[in-house]
């Protein structure tokens, strides 16, 4: 019986479980493993930074429903991806991290890059293990894939010491596994569905919140029918955008604060009452509001507040059942209802205010003007990646989504630096499944600085990502050149340079010259329009559009801070 090397066993086990993509940075002891991945048919994408590789792997997991793999070296390589692991775990995205490790016989005596990697990973994982022998690798790979995709999706870590990667085992001794079936659906109790129906039909000011969980569950078809037929107002969470189109008549995103503050019954469809939804508490909600929570994870139920109806279920079967029950009683929330009248009026008022800012094309430009004209030119079915402070927050309301899983941003963990990695994953996903679909990566200048060298990865793999940098010279806000120089002339630069300041009008688009390509620097709307149109003609190349805006540009006045401040 022939012997098989451990790297081949790992690679073939991943392929057997339906894994397609690996992102990483190689070095000792995982060089041969990366080659085995390609030999087995896995798509390997070499990145420039481990964090970005981890962001790309988790984004492909979200988009495909199968975990992406992040391959890293021992010690520092693994430590560099802990931020990405935490981001995937909090975001509930499937991810497998595979780390090389120092030889087992070098542990405890100062081995090269020696690190207690399994225990370090455990807080950010659903499953973390080191296979004890090469023969048992398939068991642990199957378990890792299953843990990352069953129930609430998350992260698994597999640790491979150098001596294990160099080992061989007889084929007859290898643990045999089968590809596990798709995650089983959890159906809601019928009585709980009826309770939810009765609460919704009796509500005077109902509101549906559609979360990222509904997008991951591919529940868009039934939820669109449900919203359209019941005519209930809805709000999407940032990555719940597009499950029901932002352009739907029932979308009240323009009146978000009012809708949350005045609703008397809130139906949560794959959305959590965390900081993004202000924990479900006053003053952002009425003190007597009733919540209907639907979540795959029972531990999430009653989190932060006590729900009136708490249902452990997958979103899709719940949506099918509540739609059937609401349809059976011919329920439709009338547009003549006072609640709809109030919401519609507020939506019109806020849209008019935003439109006025968007029509102000004087220079330096503001966020609303840039996003309005960008939206007019990018395809309506583009995948939008976005990160930054105001860049991301304002972009959520200005850059619309009509399709699910077409918006990727900093997410629940609020992680900066995710943009280029997410964009690489999205571009690969589009190339393999939806050729011709565009990826638009909208970055603040600070956010771009975290992972900007991944532009080389995009060039190397011929990924047509349009990177739009909304450049205000700082974190949250910067300074114009005259003010910046005046401040810095006052003394020691480390003492007087404001912590929020970045360089003034840094020419990020010049990075494209490194590859013999052209970027675009824009200060006016005609320049932006010309740059966007030129970028859309590129079928196998990325580009950078660097848009200079006013350093003091801000969002419209808010009734509440995005974060609900603690008064303790």
């Amino acid at each position: 019986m022939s012997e098989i090397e451990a790297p081949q066993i790992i690679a073939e086990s991943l392929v057997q479980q339906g894994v397609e993509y690996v992102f990483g940075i190689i070095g000792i002891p995982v060089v041969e493993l990366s080659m085995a991945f390609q030999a087995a048919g896995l798509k390997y994408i070499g990145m420039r930074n481990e964090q970005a590789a981890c962001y790309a792997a988790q984004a492909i997991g979200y988009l495909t429903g199968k975990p992406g793999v992040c391959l890293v070296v021992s010690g520092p390589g693994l430590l560099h991806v802990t931020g990405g692991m935490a981001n995937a775990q909090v975001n509930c995205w499937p991810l497998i991290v595979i780390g090389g490790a120092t030889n087992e016989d070098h542990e405890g005596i100062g081995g090269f890059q020696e690190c207690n990697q399994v225990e370090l990973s455990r807080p950010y994982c659903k499953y973390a293990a080191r296979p004890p022998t090469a023969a048992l690798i398939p068991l642990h790979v199957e378990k890792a894939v299953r843990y990352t995709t069953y129930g609430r999706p998350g992260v698994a870590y597999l640790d491979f010491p150098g001596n294990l990667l160099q080992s061989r085992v007889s084929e007859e001794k290898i643990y045999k596994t089968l590809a596990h079936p798709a995650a089983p659906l959890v159906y809601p109790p019928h009585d709980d569905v009826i309770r939810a129906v009765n609460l919704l039909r009796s509500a005077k000011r109902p509101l549906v919140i559609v979360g990222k969980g509904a997008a991951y569950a591919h529940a868009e078809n039934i939820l669109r029918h449900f919203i359209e037929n019941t005519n209930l107002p809805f709000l999407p969470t940032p990555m719940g955008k597009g499950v029901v189109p932002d352009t739907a008549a029932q979308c009240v995103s323009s009146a978000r604060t009012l809708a949350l503050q005045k609703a008397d019954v809130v139906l949560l469809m794959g959305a959590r009452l965390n900081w993004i939804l202000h924990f479900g508490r006053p003053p952002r909600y009425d003190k007597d509001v009733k919540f209907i929570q639907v979540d795959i994870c029972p531990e999430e139920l009653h989190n932060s507040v006590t729900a009136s109806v708490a249902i452990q279920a997958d979103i899709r079967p719940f949506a099918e059942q509540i739609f059937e029950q609401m349809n059976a009683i011919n329920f439709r929330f009338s547009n003549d209802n006072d609640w709809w009248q109030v919401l519609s009026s507020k939506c019109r008022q806020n849209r008019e205010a935003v439109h006025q800012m968007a029509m102000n094309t004087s220079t330096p430009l503001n966020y609303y003007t840039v996003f309005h004209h960008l939206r007019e030119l990018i395809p309506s079915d583009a995948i939008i990646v976005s990160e930054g402070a105001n860049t991301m927050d304002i972009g959520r309301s200005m850059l619309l989504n009509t399709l699910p899983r077409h918006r990727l941003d900093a997410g629940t963990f609020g992680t900066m630096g995710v943009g280029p990695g997410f964009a690489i994953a999205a571009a690969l996903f589009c190339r393999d499944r939806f050729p011709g679909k565009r990826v638009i990566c909208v970055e603040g200048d600070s956010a771009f600085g975290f992972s900007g060298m991944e532009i080389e990865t995009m060039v190397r793999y011929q990924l047509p990502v349009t990177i739009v940098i909304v450049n205000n010279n700082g974190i949250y806000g910067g300074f114009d050149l005259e003010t910046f120089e005046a401040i810095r002339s006052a003394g020691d630069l480390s003492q007087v340079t404001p912590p929020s300041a970045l360089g003034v009008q840094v020419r990020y688009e010049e990075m494209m010259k490194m590859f013999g390509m052209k970027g675009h620097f824009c200060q006016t709307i005609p320049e932006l329009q010309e740059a966007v149109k030129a970028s859309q003609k590129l079928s196998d190349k990325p580009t950078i559009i660097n848009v200079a805006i006013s350093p003091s540009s801000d969002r419209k006045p808010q009734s509440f801070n995005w974060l609900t401040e603690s008064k303790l």
Side-chain angles (χ1 to χ4, degrees), residues 256 278 284 555 558-565 567:
R256 183 182 191 271
H278 315 285
R284 291 306 300 258
R555 70 188 73 183
Q558 305 291 304
S559 301
F560 290 88
N561 289 330
W562 179 245
L563 293 172
T564 300
E565 301 294 340
K567 301 301 181 185

Side-chain angles (χ1 to χ4, degrees), residues 9-23 37 40-43 57 60-69 94 96 138 141-146 148-150 177-182 216 429 432-433:
I9 299 172
I10 298 170
E12 291 179 355
S13 297
L14 289 168
V15 171
Q16 182 188 36
Q17 299 303 325
V19 173
E20 294 182 68
Y21 299 91
V22 181
F23 303 82
F37 285 156
L42 292 163
K43 297 171 182 177
I60 206 73
Y62 171 68
L63 292 169
T64 65
K66 281 285 187 179
V69 171
I96 295 175
V141 169
E142 186 279 331
K143 193 171 183 180
V145 173
R146 178 159 42 87
T148 61
T149 54
Y150 277 33
T177 61
L178 298 175
H180 67 264
Y216 184 79
F429 175 76
D432 292 345
R433 287 168 169 79

Side-chain angles (χ1 to χ4, degrees), residues 175-404:
Y175 187 94
K176 299 297 187 291
T177 61
L178 298 175
H180 67 264
L185 288 176
V186 178
Y187 284 79
H190 179 71
D191 289 348
D192 285 343
V193 175
I194 298 302
R195 290 172 59 210
V197 168
N198 290 337
L199 195 55
L200 274 177
R201 67 186 295 193
S202 64
K204 291 183 171 57
R205 300 181 303 280
L207 180 67
V208 179
I209 298 180
V210 179
K212 177 172 75 252
Y216 184 79
H218 288 248
E220 56 268 17
N221 290 337
I222 186 61
L223 279 178
R224 291 179 181 201
H225 287 304
F226 173 71
I227 292 296
E228 183 177 344
N229 282 36
T230 61
N231 199 41
L232 290 169
F234 82 93
L235 286 173
T237 63
M239 277 189 277
K241 286 164 59 69
V243 173
V244 183
D246 289 340
T247 53
Q250 295 82 12
C251 183
V252 293
S253 291
S254 297
R256 183 182 191 271
T257 295
L258 176 68
L260 295 178
Q261 195 176 21
K262 300 298 184 182
D264 62 353
V265 173
V266 176
L267 170 59
L268 296 165
M269 302 286 269
R272 292 174 283 174
L273 290 176
N274 53 25
W275 67 274
I276 290 178
L277 290 177
H278 315 285
F279 316 110
R281 298 176 181 175
R284 291 306 300 258
Y285 294 81
D286 186 277
K287 62 181 180 63
D288 296 319
V289 64
K290 294 178 172 61
F291 287 99
I292 303 168
Q293 270 186 299
V294 186
D295 202 286
I296 188 60
C297 180
E299 291 85 353
E300 190 63 41
L301 302 176
H302 304 297
N303 185 45
S304 184
V305 301
T306 300
S308 297
V309 183
I311 305 173
Q312 183 196 5
D314 280 277
I315 295 301
R316 194 165 47 182
F318 172 82
E320 290 169 350
Q321 291 191 25
I322 197 170
F323 172 71
E324 180 181 336
Q325 295 298 324
M326 297 289 264
N327 199 42
I329 60 175
N330 294 315
F331 177 88
R332 184 171 177 82
F333 198 65
S334 173
N335 282 326
D336 295 330
N337 186 284
D338 289 344
W339 181 227
W340 256 128
Q341 296 299 311
V342 169
L343 289 172
S344 298
S345 176
K346 190 65 174 178
C347 283
R348 285 193 298 271
Q349 177 184 335
N350 286 343
R351 285 172 186 154
E352 288 171 4
V354 168
H355 184 71
Q356 288 182 2
M357 290 186 285
M359 290 298 101
N360 178 10
T361 58
S362 61
T363 57
L365 300 170
N366 68 69
Y367 285 105
Y368 295 89
T369 304
V370 171
F371 289 139
H372 171 80
H373 290 87
L374 180 61
R375 184 179 72 198
E376 288 191 327
L377 291 169
I378 63 175
S380 61
D381 67 344
I383 293 182
I384 299 172
V385 179
S386 184
E387 63 169 330
N390 290 337
T391 298
M392 180 175 65
D393 292 344
I394 298 172
R396 285 169 174 159
S397 62
M398 296 292 293
L399 299 175
L400 305 184
N401 292 97
T402 58
L403 295 171

Side-chain angles (χ1 to χ4, degrees), residues 440-459:
I440 313 296
C441 183
V442 186
E443 299 273 302
D445 50 330
S446 172
F448 179 73
F450 282 79
S451 306
M453 272 311 299
E454 296 303 333
I455 188 71
E456 189 275 329
T457 307
M458 298 176 192
V459 172

